[in-house]
C-alpha cells in the first residue's frame, strides 16, 4: 500500500511510469473519522499519490494493470576486486543513453562482509552489478554492450515469466534493519559518483549498499498526482546497517558529493530518516500538499510530512 502512496518505482518503471500513476481511486479514513472514496477529481486523490503517508489511513486502492506475461531480465555481476567499479559505472551510464523506454535498469555496488553467515560465493566480495528488465524481443541485443565491460562473475539474464521477476533484484524476503536515503539527480556526474563509490566500498568501515536507478521514459510524463521530480534522470540510493550516528557520518558526506545535481529525495527510499522532510518535494508540490493537509488533518493527527 505505502509503496504506491510513496510513488512506487517498479522494475518496468521507464515503460509504465510510477505505480501511483495507475491508481483509479482510493478509500481512506481521514482524521475526522470519515471513510472517503476519492477519485481523480478530488484534491485528496492528487495528494495521496506521492504524499500519502500522512493524510489518513488508506484502506483500499483500485489500480489499473498492464499486460506483461514475459520479460527479458536478470542481473550481470562483476567482481569489484577484478574490475574498477568506477569503470563499470561509467560504461553503465554511457549505455543508458542508448536505451528505449522498454528497458529499465539499475546499477548496484555491494561490499558483502567477510563473515560466516554469508554464502561462500558472496562472502567478502565486492559485487558490482547491473540489473535489467525489458519487455519486447530486443533485450538480448540491448544488453550486449554490458557483457563487454569486463569479466562477468555471474549472469542471470534470460527470458522469464513475469512471475519470476522478483529474482532480478533478489531483495531479501525477511525484515532487517538499516538506514538509508536517496537523491534524485538531474544528471549523473560519473566522476562524483566514482568518488562516492570510493567512500562507500569495502574500506568504508561499515557495509554500504549503493544503488543507482535509471529514470526517465514514462516516469517523466506528467501525471495528476504529487509524485515529484519527474525530470529526474537517475536516483541514487544508499543503505547501511551502521547505527544511526555512524550512518549519518557515512551518508551525509556521500550525498554532499552529489549536491549540485540533486533535485531532492525520494519518499520511498528514506529509511529511518525519522521526520526529516526537507527535499522530499519541490516547493510547488510541498505548498499544495500542505494546503490539502491543512484542510483534512489540521491538528496533524497523522505524521507531519508536508509543512
Ligand atoms: C527490500 C526493499 C525493497 C524496496 N524496493 C522498492 C522499489 O523497488 N520501489 C519502491 O518504490 N520502493 C521500494 N521500497 C520502499 C518501499 O516501497 C517503502 O519502504 C514503503 O513505504 C514500505 O511500505 P511498508 O508499508 O512496508 O512500510 P511502513 O514503514 O509500514 O509504512 C511506510 C509509511 O507509510 C505509512 N502507511 C502504511 N500503511 C498505510 C496506509 N494504509 N495508509 C496510509 N499510510 C500508510 C506509514 O505510516 C509510514 O509512514 C523497498 C523497500 C525495501 C525494504
Amino acid at each position: 500500500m505505502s509503496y504506491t502512496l510513496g510513488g512506487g518505482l517498479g522494475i518496468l518503471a521507464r515503460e509504465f511510469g510510477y505505480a501511483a500513476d495507475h491508481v483509479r481511486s482510493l478509500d481512506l479514513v481521514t482524521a475526522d473519522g470519515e471513510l472517503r472514496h476519492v477519485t481523480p477529481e478530488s484534491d485528496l486523490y492528487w495528494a495521496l499519490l506521492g504524499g500519502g503517508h500522512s493524510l489518513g489511513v488508506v484502506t483500499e486502492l483500485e489500480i489499473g494493470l498492464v499486460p506483461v506475461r514475459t520479460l527479458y531480465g536478470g542481473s550481470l555481476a562483476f567482481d569489484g576486486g577484478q574490475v574498477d567499479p568506477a569503470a563499470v559505472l561509467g560504461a553503465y551510464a554511457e549505455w543508458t543513453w542508448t536505451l528505449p523506454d522498454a528497458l529499465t535498469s539499475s546499477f548496484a555496488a555491494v561490499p558483502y562482509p567477510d563473515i560466516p553467515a554469508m554464502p561462500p560465493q558472496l562472502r567478502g566480495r565486492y559485487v558490482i552489478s547491473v540489473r535489467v528488465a525489458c519487455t519486447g524481443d530486443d533485450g538480448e541485443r540491448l544488453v550486449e554492450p554490458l557483457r563487454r565491460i569486463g569479466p562477468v562473475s555471474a549472469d542471470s539474464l534470460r527470458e522469464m515469466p513475469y512471475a519470476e521477476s522478483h529474482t532480478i533484484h533478489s531483495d531479501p524476503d525477511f525484515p532487517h534493519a538499516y538506514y538509508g536515503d536517496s537523491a534524485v539527480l538531474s544528471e549523473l556526474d560519473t566522476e562524483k559518483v566514482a568518488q562516492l563509490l570510493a567512500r562507500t566500498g569495502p574500506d568504508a568501515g561499515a557495509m554500504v549498499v549503493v544503488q543507482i536507478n535509471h529514470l526517465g521514459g514514462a516516469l517523466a510524463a506528467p501525471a495528476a498526482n504529487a509524485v515529484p521530480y519527474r525530470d529526474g534522470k537517475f536516483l541514487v540510493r544508499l543503505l547501511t546497517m551502521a547505527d544511526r550516528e555512524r550512518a549519518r557520518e557515512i551518508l551525509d558526506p556521500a550525498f554532499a558529493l552529489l549536491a549540485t545535481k540533486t533535485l531532492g529525495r525520494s519518499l520511498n527510499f528514506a529509511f529511518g530518516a525519522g521526520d526529516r522532510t526537507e527535499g522530499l518535494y519541490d516547493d510547488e508540490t510541498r505548498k499544495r500538499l500542505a494546503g490539502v493537509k491543512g484542510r483534512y488533518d489540521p491538528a496533524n493527527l497523522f505524521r507531519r510530512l508536508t509543512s
Side-chain angles (χ1 to χ4, degrees), residues 257-273:
L257 286 167
L258 311 176
T260 56
K261 306 290 182 201
T262 297
L263 300 171
R265 299 163 63 222
S266 168
L267 179 61
N268 265 6
F269 299 105
F271 299 114

Side-chain angles (χ1 to χ4, degrees), residues 86-149:
V88 181
L89 173 80
Y92 169 71
E94 210 168 293
W95 175 69
T96 59
W97 288 110
T98 67
L99 299 175
D101 296 353
L103 194 152
T104 301
S105 67
S106 61
F107 168 97
V110 187
Y112 288 97
D114 189 2
I115 54 172
M118 280 287 130
Q121 72 277 18
L122 296 177
R123 184 174 172 178
R125 292 197 183 276
Y126 186 27
V127 178
I128 312 297
S129 62
V130 177
R131 293 86 61 94
V132 170
C134 181
T135 60
D137 303 327
D138 224 10
E140 182 70 50
R141 185 187 67 80
L142 288 167
V143 301
E144 193 45 41
L146 294 177
R147 297 187 191 282
R148 293 198 291 270
I149 291 176

Side-chain angles (χ1 to χ4, degrees), residues 98-280:
T98 67
L99 299 175
D101 296 353
L103 194 152
T104 301
S105 67
S106 61
F107 168 97
V110 187
Y112 288 97
D114 189 2
I115 54 172
M118 280 287 130
Q121 72 277 18
L122 296 177
R123 184 174 172 178
R125 292 197 183 276
Y126 186 27
V127 178
I128 312 297
S129 62
V130 177
R131 293 86 61 94
V132 170
C134 181
T135 60
D137 303 327
D138 224 10
E140 182 70 50
R141 185 187 67 80
L142 288 167
V143 301
E144 193 45 41
L146 294 177
R147 297 187 191 282
R148 293 198 291 270
I149 291 176
V152 169
S153 58
D155 178 350
S156 67
L157 288 165
R158 66 194 189 280
E159 289 287 337
M160 64 174 84
Y162 188 83
E164 287 177 19
S165 60
H166 63 282
T167 62
I168 297 173
H169 290 82
S170 297
D171 280 331
D173 56 5
F174 54 90
H176 57 288
Y178 46 72
Y179 291 99
D181 215 330
S182 64
V184 184
L185 304 181
S186 57
E187 70 181 80
L188 196 67
D189 180 334
T190 47
E191 274 181 31
K192 294 283 186 199
V193 181
Q195 290 173 30
L196 182 148
L197 288 174
R199 279 172 171 270
T200 54
D203 300 329
M207 184 180 174
V208 183
V209 175
V210 178
Q211 298 183 77
I212 303 178
N213 293 75
H214 181 208
L215 305 178
L219 295 166
N225 60 45
V227 179
Y229 307 126
R230 297 263 171 184
D231 48 345
K233 299 290 188 293
F234 288 90
L235 171 70
V236 174
R237 300 151 54 190
L238 301 180
L239 297 176
T240 178
M241 282 102 203
D243 63 40
R244 185 187 288 265
E245 208 172 296
R246 182 82 187 104
R248 292 265 57 109
E249 280 170 15
I250 297 169
L251 300 192
D252 288 348
F255 282 117
L257 286 167
L258 311 176
T260 56
K261 306 290 182 201
T262 297
L263 300 171
R265 299 163 63 222
S266 168
L267 179 61
N268 265 6
F269 299 105
F271 299 114
D275 283 341
R276 197 177 145 236
T277 60
E278 69 266 21
L280 289 177

Side-chain angles (χ1 to χ4, degrees), residues 7-135:
L9 185 68
I11 54 163
L12 292 168
R14 282 173 33 84
E15 181 169 8
F16 297 113
Y18 287 99
D21 301 346
H22 296 267
V23 172
R24 294 176 180 165
S25 68
L26 308 100
D27 290 358
L28 83 156
V29 180
T30 42
D32 55 8
E34 285 290 312
L35 176 61
R36 297 169 193 263
H37 179 71
V38 300
T39 53
E41 301 75 46
S42 155
D43 56 356
L44 259 180
Y45 171 94
W46 173 86
L48 283 163
L49 297 168
H53 294 173
S54 64
L55 293 162
V57 179
V58 177
T59 57
E60 200 166 314
L61 289 178
E62 187 191 343
I63 191 159
L65 302 179
V66 292
V68 178
R69 286 187 180 282
T70 60
L71 54 82
Y72 179 86
S75 152
L76 209 57
F78 305 89
D79 185 334
Q82 285 185 8
V83 296
D84 175 8
V88 181
L89 173 80
Y92 169 71
E94 210 168 293
W95 175 69
T96 59
W97 288 110
T98 67
L99 299 175
D101 296 353
L103 194 152
T104 301
S105 67
S106 61
F107 168 97
V110 187
Y112 288 97
D114 189 2
I115 54 172
M118 280 287 130
Q121 72 277 18
L122 296 177
R123 184 174 172 178
R125 292 197 183 276
Y126 186 27
V127 178
I128 312 297
S129 62
V130 177
R131 293 86 61 94
V132 170
C134 181
T135 60

Side-chain angles (χ1 to χ4, degrees), residues 283-304:
D283 280 353
E284 193 185 332
T285 305
R286 187 180 53 76
K287 279 187 199 135
R288 191 169 165 195
L289 276 173
V292 178
K293 173 83 172 167
R295 281 196 292 287
Y296 291 96
D297 186 13
N300 197 19
L301 179 66
F302 299 106
R303 190 163 66 105
R304 179 172 166 170

